[in-house]
């Protein structure tokens, strides 16, 4: 639902004569990790004498996001009902369940023996192509093996493919037809596995820990001047605040305590003017945590009043800061996301690349948002989408960095809410896959979800 307009999505059934209704009707929604999906629940009570009902009264209301629901342990969220001043309206319990037609995959391996020689000057270069039969009699390619060079006795690598790609979800119906002259192909192994999803881990209690690091270098301009990227206008958020709020308000739904470390870099700190590239925005280096995204925003604004913008732009200290925490929790119970907001070119590129390569083996992802008009060509190398980042001949184990320039998402009509939504959608879209890549390479399975909620065995009755 939008922030200003609400659309009714559906209604539950009516349950007679109870203060503890357990509604049966379910509602199906598309879930997107990278979007803020607002929900509102209105509860009404019917007054009946015969049929139809005489009237209905508003009992209470609860608002949340879909991320809050799925981010709660067991994907079960309790929210107090509000809306009637001075009255206790009770509690509403919202439960989410992921629906998948088929989450099974099969791991197969094939080999060939004494295949026909097809090449004139050498042996064959065989490969296998798998087709799925469609209802209209046509065929769709669903997998193609690698080519094994110059052999009549190939052994192809084992490969995994979703069952739904083979036979619409029923692996009992998988069959192989050996064509003429193809009887030399042998199925060596066939293993059925269940694919786990990002929500399986969240449902089992895995927490997403969010840290923000903000650029306080002098290239941002004097915060007291309207031309500064850090200027605190009484009428609208600056680019730093918009990027922080856009990403943070979504990530916070997956952190149960809502306590977020907030760091700054590139400033001179009071009272001695020492330059720091890893300081706490709240002024407490022993406890840099802020309460909620609003607390992070307040600490950011207070820092602008107390520190002196300086330089240079060093990323590695804040990356190493989060990496130290990520290195201490590798059991899948926590995953760390670092948001770096910056206006300029990195001064410690070699050290930053080394830090990212090291962090790639940890439960950690990095989001970099560039603000202002500067060129960010060097950031593309850190992103690693086209060429995997490396340092001193060592390549990053996986891609953990996502970089975007904020100017690409600014709405031309000046709608900052839309700009923030576009930014969050793009920078957060890769997080679930990066999360899963770490868990899968480490062989970490989701923790069991808590037992399902059971309504009170003896509900309180009321007579109306």
């Amino acid at each position: 639902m939008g922030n200003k307009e609400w659309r009714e999505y559906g209604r539950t059934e009516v349950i007679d004569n109870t203060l503890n209704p357990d509604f049966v009707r379910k509602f199906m929604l598309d879930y997107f990790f990278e979007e803020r999906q607002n929900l509102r629940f209105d509860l009404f009570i019917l007054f009946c004498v015969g049929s139809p009902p005489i009237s209905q009264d508003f009992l209470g209301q609860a608002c949340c996001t879909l991320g809050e629901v799925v981010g709660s342990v067991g994907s079960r969220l309790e929210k107090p009902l509000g809306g009637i001043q001075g009255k206790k309206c009770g509690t509403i319990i919202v439960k989410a369940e992921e629906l998948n037609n088929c989450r099974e995959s099969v791991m197969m391996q094939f080999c060939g023996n004494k295949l026909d020689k097809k090449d004139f000057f050498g042996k064959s270069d065989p490969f296998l192509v798998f087709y799925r039969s469609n209802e209209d009699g046509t065929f769709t390619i669903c997998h193609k093996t690698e080519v094994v060079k110059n052999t009549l006795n190939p052994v192809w690598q084992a490969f995994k493919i979703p069952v739904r790609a083979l036979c619409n979800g029923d692996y009992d119906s998988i069959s192989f037809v050996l064509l003429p002259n193809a009887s030399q192909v042998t199925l060596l192994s066939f293993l059925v596995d269940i694919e786990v999803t990002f929500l399986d881990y969240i449902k089992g209690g895995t927490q997403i820990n969010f840290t923000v690091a903000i650029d306080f270098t002098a290239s941002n301009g004097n915060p007291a001047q309207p031309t500064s990227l850090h200027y605190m206008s009484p009428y609208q958020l600056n680019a730093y605040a918009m990027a922080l709020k856009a990403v943070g308000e979504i990530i916070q739904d997956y952190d149960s305590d809502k306590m977020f470390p907030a760091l700054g870099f590139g400033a001179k700190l009071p009272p001695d003017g020492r330059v720091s590239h890893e300081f706490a925005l709240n002024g407490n280096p022993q406890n840099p945590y802020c309460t909620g995204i609003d607390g992070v925003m307040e600490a950011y604004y207070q820092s602008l009043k107390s520190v002196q913008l300086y330089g240079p732009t060093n990323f590695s200290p804040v990356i190493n800061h989060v990496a130290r925490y990520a290195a201490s929790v590798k059991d899948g119970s926590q995953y760390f996301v670092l948001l770096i907001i910056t206006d300029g070119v990195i001064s410690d590129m070699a050290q930053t690349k080394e830090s990212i390569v090291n962090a790639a083996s940890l439960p950690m992802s990095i989001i970099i948002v560039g603000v202002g008009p500067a060129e960010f060509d060097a950031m593309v190398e850190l992103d690693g989408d086209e060429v995997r980042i490396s340092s001193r001949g060592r390549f990053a184990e996986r891609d953990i960095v996502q970089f975007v320039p904020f100017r690409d998402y600014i709405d031309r009509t000046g709608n900052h809410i839309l700009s923030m939504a576009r930014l969050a959608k793009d920078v957060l879209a890769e997080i679930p896959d990066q999360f899963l890549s770490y868990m899968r390479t480490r062989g970490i399975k989701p923790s069991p979800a808590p037992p399902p909620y059971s309504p009170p065995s003896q509900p309180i009755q009321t007579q109306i």
Side-chain angles (χ1 to χ4, degrees), residues 199-228:
L199 287 184
D200 287 328
Y201 291 92
I202 299 301
K203 193 173 182 179
T206 297
Q207 295 288 297
I208 306 294
N209 296 315
F210 175 61
T211 302
V212 62
I214 295 178
D215 184 337
F216 282 82
T217 56
S219 56
N220 285 281
N222 185 349
Q225 300 296 323
T227 54
S228 171

Side-chain angles (χ1 to χ4, degrees), residues 164-184:
R164 60 182 176 273
L166 289 173
C167 54
N168 297 321
D170 180 11
Y171 62 78
D172 289 333
S173 69
I174 296 177
S175 61
F176 301 96
V177 179
L178 297 179
L179 302 177
N181 300 322
S183 58
Q184 305 94 328

Side-chain angles (χ1 to χ4, degrees), residues 421-452:
R422 288 172 175 170
L423 174 70
K425 184 175 182 178
D426 212 13
V427 299
L428 292 173
E430 294 185 7
I431 296 296
D433 285 341
Q434 292 176 358
F435 174 99
L436 288 172
S437 72
Y438 175 81
M439 299 299 180
R440 287 169 178 164
T441 55
R442 296 299 184 277
I444 300 173
K445 299 294 184 182
S447 298

Side-chain angles (χ1 to χ4, degrees), residues 90-149:
T91 301
I92 186 171
I93 299 171
V94 185
K95 183 80 163 56
E97 180 181 345
E98 186 177 14
L99 299 178
N100 281 310
N101 292 331
C102 180
R103 293 169 55 177
E104 294 165 326
S105 63
V106 292
M107 177 78 77
M108 295 184 286
Q109 186 176 24
F110 290 82
C111 72
N113 182 38
K114 297 180 180 179
L115 300 182
D116 290 344
K117 181 176 178 296
K118 298 296 183 181
D119 290 357
F120 184 76
F121 293 105
K123 298 179 180 179
S124 298
D125 300 329
F127 61 91
L128 289 175
V129 180
F130 294 83
Y131 296 85
R132 182 183 68 190
S133 175
N134 302 317
E135 293 181 357
D136 60 1
T138 60
F139 292 87
T140 300
I141 294 178
C142 54
H143 184 75
K144 181 178 179 180
T145 69
E146 78 280 7
V147 175
V148 181
K149 293 287 188 179

Side-chain angles (χ1 to χ4, degrees), residues 37-48:
Q37 297 172 270
N38 295 313
L39 303 174
R40 192 182 84 193
F41 302 91
D42 293 346
L43 191 62
F44 294 88
I45 187 169
L46 295 179
F47 290 90
C48 304

Side-chain angles (χ1 to χ4, degrees), residues 20-22 76 78 93 95 450-459:
N20 297 284
D22 183 21
R76 177 180 177 272
E78 293 190 26
I93 299 171
K95 183 80 163 56
Y453 168 74
S454 298
S457 57
Q458 293 181 338

